[in-house]
Amino acid sequence: MYKYLTHIIITFLLALASTFSHAENGFSQCQFSEDEIHIENGVVKYFSVGSGKPVLLIHGLFAQKEQWSEFACDLSHDGYLVYALDLPGYGQSTGFSIVDYQLSKEVSLIHQFIEKLGIKRLHIAGSSMGGALAAIYAKQYPREVQSIGFIGAPLGVITWSPQVRGEIYKGINPFIPINIEQFNVEMSLLFAKPPVIADSVKEQLIGVYVANNRHYQQVWDIVNLELNVLIPEKKSSKPTFSVWGAEDGIFNVSGKYLLDRKFPNSQSFVIPNTAHLIMLEKPNEIASLYKKFLRSKRVAN
């Protein structure tokens, strides 16, 4: 099932890349290395690219490491060794139980992953749920983290958008689509301009959601308990990079100002004509901003 799912995901992401990518240096020019690390009872799959200062990229709910490919490739050209993992229980990472989907347990497993890589200090960034994990990790292991990056709106600052709540009130979970119409709704929430995806690819992805619906719903329930996870946190002085899509349909852009108050030592941007998966819509523009942040004196020192 995982080989089948991975094939579908790669097909889907290639379709996204053909829609969004206008980069002169496509990620096909990067030499990615794929590997795995055994942690507790499971196996975590990851890729790495480049050399230099380590950067860890963390994906969001129901996502996978391949979403970072072009963004990671761009970073690697600037003297960074970039890692992107399939979080325990997601993508190709296997052998984990339902309790491992708690954010606190995910952070513990990420720490074990970083220890096994032998990394002592790194930059950590995430998308959506991954942003929340990055912030929690930085709080728990402050000496290891040089900077935090929110690549798009993080989970944990503001409640679901009116669009998401509207779908849930209809009895639809837009994160677990069971037909093409619901899949199209999900795409409209994730992207300012939804990509053109063949119905055959949509049907394959929907088939996975339908076949494993109970599991996806259980994971959704666990993560939904963490919706306010960053709100009680005290202000962080850690150097922080933050970009939020102006048209984010998952977490409204008004949450950006709440995030800025929690992380006042930040370079913060609202990006027009983008939504939730900002690293897919504008990978090179966002990577350029992030590299400038990483090169800044307050971060590099």
Side-chain angles (χ1 to χ4, degrees):
M1 195 268 287
Y2 286 100
K3 289 183 180 179
Y4 170 71
L5 178 57
T6 301
H7 170 74
I8 296 170
I9 288 169
I10 291 172
T11 301
F12 177 59
L13 289 169
L14 286 173
L16 291 178
S18 68
T19 301
F20 294 125
S21 178
H22 304 287
E24 293 181 1
N25 295 316
F27 64 77
S28 61
Q29 296 182 20
C30 277
Q31 296 296 316
F32 291 89
S33 297
E34 296 189 4
D35 209 337
E36 64 184 40
I37 288 179
H38 291 254
I39 297 173
E40 295 186 3
N41 296 320
V43 177
V44 171
K45 298 279 189 174
Y46 70 97
F47 74 68
S48 61
V49 60
S51 61
K53 298 177 181 178
V55 178
L56 178 66
L57 303 175
I58 308 175
H59 65 73
L61 179 65
F62 302 147
Q64 59 288 315
K65 62 185 180 298
E66 285 79 14
Q67 287 187 340
W68 293 109
S69 295
E70 188 167 346
F71 182 86
C73 180
D74 195 319
L75 283 185
S76 73
H77 294 314
D78 225 46
Y80 296 99
L81 173 54
V82 186
Y83 296 91
L85 78 163
D86 280 332
L87 285 169
Y90 296 88
Q92 294 175 280
S93 293
T94 58
F96 298 94
S97 66
I98 196 68
V99 298
D100 293 326
Y101 288 96
Q102 299 173 75
L103 297 196
S104 58
K105 185 58 187 290
E106 291 280 9
V107 167
S108 174
L109 293 168
I110 292 169
H111 186 242
Q112 294 178 56
F113 171 79
I114 291 171
E115 283 190 317
K116 292 202 172 185
L117 286 174
I119 297 173
K120 302 299 182 184
R121 192 159 169 78
L122 78 167
H123 303 283
I124 188 167
S127 163
S128 197
M129 181 186 74
L133 291 170
I136 297 167
Y137 192 97
K139 179 185 177 183
Q140 291 191 13
Y141 307 102
R143 293 184 180 180
E144 295 180 14
V145 176
Q146 196 164 350
S147 74
I148 305 168
F150 297 111
I151 313 300
L155 176 143
V157 175
I158 190 172
T159 190
W160 302 120
S161 70
Q163 301 98 303
V164 171
R165 295 200 303 273
E167 294 301 318
I168 290 174
Y169 290 144
K170 297 175 190 175
I172 297 168
N173 188 327
F175 299 95
I176 313 174
I178 59 173
N179 56 45
I180 285 183
E181 181 181 0
Q182 292 181 17
F183 184 90
N184 290 339
V185 168
E186 181 183 26
M187 292 296 101
S188 71
L189 297 173
L190 294 172
F191 299 103
K193 184 179 179 181
V196 177
I197 304 296
D199 282 353
S200 60
V201 176
K202 294 179 184 179
E203 290 284 8
Q204 290 179 81
L205 285 162
I206 290 164
V208 175
Y209 283 121
V210 171
N212 301 279
N213 191 269
R214 178 58 180 159
H215 172 75
Y216 281 107
Q217 190 60 53
Q218 288 174 321
V219 176
W220 159 266
D221 290 342
I222 290 169
V223 174
N224 203 45
L225 293 175
E226 310 275 10
L227 193 56
N228 298 323
V229 68
L230 298 185
I231 291 177
E233 294 296 322
K234 295 180 180 179
K235 289 184 178 180
S236 171
S237 61
K238 189 72 69 177
T240 302
F241 174 82
S242 171
V243 287
W244 200 303
E247 299 179 43
D248 194 317
I250 306 298
F251 298 119
N252 187 272
V253 69
S254 61
K256 183 253 188 193
Y257 306 102
L258 300 172
L259 184 67
D260 289 347
R261 288 205 291 268
K262 292 287 182 184
F263 298 88
N265 187 16
S266 67
Q267 289 185 13
S268 178
F269 306 88
V270 173
I271 308 299
N273 303 314
T274 55
H276 194 61
L277 294 182
I278 200 165
M279 73 287 197
L280 281 171
E281 289 192 284
K282 296 186 178 179
N284 303 110
E285 178 180 336
I286 304 307
S288 179
L289 290 172
Y290 187 43
K291 288 186 290 187
K292 288 178 183 177
F293 165 78
L294 292 177
R295 289 195 300 264
S296 64
K297 271 190 175 182
R298 59 180 180 155
V299 178
N301 290 342

